[in-house]
């Protein structure tokens, strides 16, 4: 069950660590204070080739698979939560549209057509440095997977006309393309009629509106998108018609990709605590607090919780694949729940253990605490919904009911 990262995975994580330490961490407080998008960090990610992390090597990218993405993302999360979370939306659009979709059932004609469309999206990222956002939330039950998306797409001469609204769209105003999940506007449409289209930021009828002044993850700039009669050509499809529904059911780990950011935040809170108690945190007097038994016990508890979180994370990313068995599906929900809840709890323990001076705004811990609060709210696998599905799926086999 041990997880041994490959040499390539270690190399990519080290690249993310270097950027994080040298560039992202020093800028994080400013983006947080201003609730502004980390444009400089994206310029650095672009220069390092990391915008193309999940673009296959055959298309000029770094060819990262699911597990590699998760490891890189966790490292980014240690240095700037908002950068890591928004990077998830971009990088995983490539992962979803690329290797995950390739695993799913399509006719030969659909597969050939999808290959052409994938190539277009990959080229934009590799050659033009384009950024993709992933807005699916609408403020209705659709993002929880309980109803069709309310944003509608109607067929119109060689393309689609979109109407609707997306809330909490991270990278709003910063992305070049927005991967909009919407429902084909047909009679009796269901979740099976979901389509996934990349809308260019400069499309007619597309606007970014509303304020963004949240508790945490302030640099994500997750504002509202309004689509009014927005036309996109067929080549905007990020997945063939009907395939998103298949992906959500057959590649369920696709929704775990938000969690590594929060594992990185948990690690950062632990690292801060150790440094602070040793009197080594930059910007604080070199006062040691490590000799008190209560501090030692608190750090031990944090260490145990952190190791437990890493353990389930590493196990789950190693077993992510198309059509996982029931045990792996349940473990995925347990992992998401564990990471999101433990991240916030470790930040809480960090502040409690380090004490009052540690939560001053001049230090990163209070930002980690606020950012970590957002993890268990992320649909479709909020902490509540993970428990809801875990309990039900553990007790019922597919298709079972208690009705007579
Ligand atoms: C920093 C940040 C960045 C984000 N970025 C993005 C993004 O880029 N793209 C995107 O699409 N979304 C994004 N989101 C949105 C996020 O995934 C959620 O959609 C959003 O927080 C939903 O808020 P809501 O109040 O409308 O949730 P609601 O749908 O009102 O749900 C509230 C809570 O009720 C519970 N709940 C919901 N439905 C059910 C149900 N059927 N049964 C039982 N319980 C249920 C859930 O636990 C949920 O947390 C972001 C959120 C944050 C905080």
């Amino acid at each position: 069950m041990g997880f041994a990262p490959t040499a390539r995975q270690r190399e990519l994580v080290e690249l993310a660590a270097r950027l994080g330490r040298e560039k992202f961490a020093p800028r994080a407080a400013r983006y947080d204070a201003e609730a502004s998008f980390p444009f400089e960090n994206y310029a650095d990610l672009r220069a390092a080739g990391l915008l193309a992390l999940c673009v296959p090597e055959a298309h000029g990218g770094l060819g990262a698979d699911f597990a590699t993405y998760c490891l890189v993302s966790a490292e980014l999360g240690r240095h700037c939560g908002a950068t890591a979370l928004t990077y998830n939306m971009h990088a995983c659009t490539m992962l979803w549209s690329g290797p995950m979709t390739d695993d799913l059932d399509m006719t030969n004609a659909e597969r050939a057509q999808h290959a052409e469309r994938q190539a277009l999206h990959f080229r934009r990222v590799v050659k033009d440095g384009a950024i993709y956002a992933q807005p699916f939330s609408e403020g209705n039950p659709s993002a929880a997977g309980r109803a069709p998306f309310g944003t509608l797409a109607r067929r119109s001469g060689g393309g689609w006309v979109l109407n609707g609204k997306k809330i909490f769209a991270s990278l709003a105003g910063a992305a070049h393309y927005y991967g909009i999940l919407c429902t084909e506007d047909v009679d009796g449409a269901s979740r099976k009629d979901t389509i996934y289209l990349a809308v260019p930021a400069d499309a007619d009828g597309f606007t970014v509106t509303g304020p963004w002044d949240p508790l945490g993850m302030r640099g994500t700039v997750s504002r509202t998108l309004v689509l009014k009669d927005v036309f996109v050509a067929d080549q905007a499809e990020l997945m063939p018609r009907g395939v998103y529904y298949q992906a959500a059911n057959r590649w369920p780990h696709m929704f775990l990709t938000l969690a590594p950011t929060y594992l990185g935040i948990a690690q950062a809170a632990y690292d801060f605590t150790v440094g602070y108690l040793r009197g080594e945190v930059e910007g604080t007097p070199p006062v040691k607090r490590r000799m008190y038994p209560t501090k030692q016990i608190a750090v031990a508890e944090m260490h145990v919780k952190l190791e437990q979180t890493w353990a389930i994370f590493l196990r789950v990313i190693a077993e992510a694949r198309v059509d996982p068995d029931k045990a792996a599906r349940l473990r995925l929900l347990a992992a998401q729940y564990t990471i999101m809840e433990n991240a916030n709890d470790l930040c809480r323990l960090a502040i409690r253990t380090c004490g009052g001076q540690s939560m001053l705004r001049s230090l990163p811990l209070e930002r980690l605490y606020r950012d970590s609060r957002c993890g268990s709210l992320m649909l479709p696998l909020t902490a509540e919904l993970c428990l809801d599905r875990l309990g039900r799926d553990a007790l019922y086999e597919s298709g079972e009911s208690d009705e007579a």
Side-chain angles (χ1 to χ4, degrees):
M1 291 296 177
F3 182 93
T6 62
R8 178 68 172 147
Q9 285 171 335
R10 283 201 300 273
E11 193 186 310
L12 289 168
V13 169
E14 185 42 43
L15 175 60
R18 206 169 52 245
L19 280 180
R21 267 192 319 265
E22 294 171 8
K23 313 267 186 164
F24 302 171
R27 295 172 185 151
R30 175 164 53 87
Y31 299 133
D32 175 60
E34 295 171 352
S36 62
F37 187 77
F39 282 106
E40 294 98 327
N41 294 356
Y42 272 76
D44 291 331
L45 288 165
R46 188 177 287 115
L50 283 172
L51 285 188
L53 179 70
C54 299
V55 172
E57 284 177 348
H59 291 267
L62 299 180
D65 61 8
F66 178 87
T68 307
Y69 163 76
C70 289
L71 294 170
V72 170
S73 173
E75 182 59 37
L76 293 174
R78 286 176 75 179
H79 308 285
C80 177
T83 299
L85 194 64
T86 50
Y87 180 71
N88 164 81
M89 317 305 178
H90 165 79
C92 291
T93 301
M94 299 303 119
L95 200 60
W96 286 12
S97 175
M100 281 186 192
T101 300
D102 292 344
D103 279 347
L104 301 169
D105 294 338
M106 287 177 259
T107 64
N108 289 342
E110 281 171 338
R111 203 171 287 282
Q113 193 174 58
H114 182 56
E116 278 174 29
R117 290 174 184 163
Q118 278 178 331
L120 169 74
H121 299 297
F122 294 155
R123 199 165 50 242
R124 286 174 179 162
V125 174
V126 173
K127 297 263 187 295
D128 310 336
I131 301 172
Y132 279 65
Q134 205 175 59
F136 57 86
S137 299
E138 297 183 339
N140 57 34
S142 60
R146 308 290 169 111
F149 288 100
T151 302
L152 297 178
R154 183 170 34 83
R155 282 304 291 160
S156 173
W160 300 92
V161 174
L162 280 74
N163 279 285
K165 187 177 92 169
K166 295 287 177 182
I167 64 166
F168 277 91
S170 295
L171 298 128
H176 303 95
Y177 297 91
Y178 295 81
I180 304 280
L181 283 157
C182 44
T183 305
E184 185 169 356
D185 192 0
V186 288
D187 283 346
S190 72
R191 289 173 54 227
K192 292 186 178 160
D193 299 301
T194 302
I195 40 185
Y196 188 21
L197 299 165
V199 172
D202 59 3
D204 285 342
F206 176 86
T207 42
V208 176
T209 74
W212 178 248
D213 188 12
L215 169 81
M217 288 292 182
R218 293 169 56 79
T220 61
V221 190
S222 311
R223 296 171 64 202
T224 297
L225 310 179
V226 176
L227 298 104
K228 186 152 177 22
D229 293 327
V230 174
F231 175 80
V232 290
D234 281 338
Q235 63 184 19
E237 278 182 12
L238 284 158
M239 286 181 182
R241 280 160 99 165
V243 170
Y244 175 80
Y245 180 76
Q246 212 189 126
N249 288 296
R250 297 185 55 200
W251 237 113
H253 293 77
M254 69 189 282
F255 298 123
L256 183 83
T257 56
L258 295 158
T261 292
Y262 292 91
L263 181 56
I265 290 173
Q267 181 69 53
Y270 174 82
D271 294 343
F272 178 94
T273 306
V274 170
Y276 190 83
L277 296 180
R278 289 170 58 86
E280 292 171 352
V281 167
E282 214 178 300
T284 60
V287 177
K288 290 187 174 54
R289 296 171 173 88
R290 66 183 175 187
M291 63 294 280
Y292 306 121
T294 45
K295 304 289 179 211
Q296 293 169 12
I297 286 290
V299 168
E301 280 171 0
M302 287 179 70
H303 197 100
V304 168
K305 198 175 270 270
L306 186 63
E307 285 293 346
Q308 288 168 340
T309 314
W310 272 104
I312 194 166
F313 169 74
L314 294 175
R315 178 157 183 200
V316 162
I317 66 172
E319 68 186 5
R321 58 178 57 87
V322 70
D323 297 329
D325 63 17
K326 178 170 172 173
R329 285 174 186 269
L330 295 182
R331 200 155 32 246
L332 154 66
L333 296 170
Q336 171 91 2
Y337 178 87
T338 303
I339 296 165
M340 298 310 205
E341 292 290 84
N342 284 6
N344 189 232
D345 207 39
L346 279 159
C347 291
R348 176 188 68 81
L349 285 168
I351 291 183
R352 179 176 180 267
T353 305
C354 294
Q357 289 185 61
S358 74
M359 56 111 212
L360 296 175
R361 283 207 194 274
S362 53
L363 297 174
L365 188 54
E366 63 86 33
R367 187 185 70 250
L368 297 173
Y369 179 74
R370 288 184 286 104
D371 286 353
S372 71
R373 183 57 276 172
C374 301
S376 55
L377 314 181
M378 311 292 304
L379 287 169
L381 297 183
T382 65
E384 285 180 341
L385 285 167
C386 284
L387 290 183
D388 182 60
R389 283 182 51 189
L390 249 178
R392 199 183 54 243
D393 296 353
L395 291 168
Y396 290 79
E397 295 302 327
S398 172
E400 274 186 343
S401 95
D402 297 316
E403 281 158 30

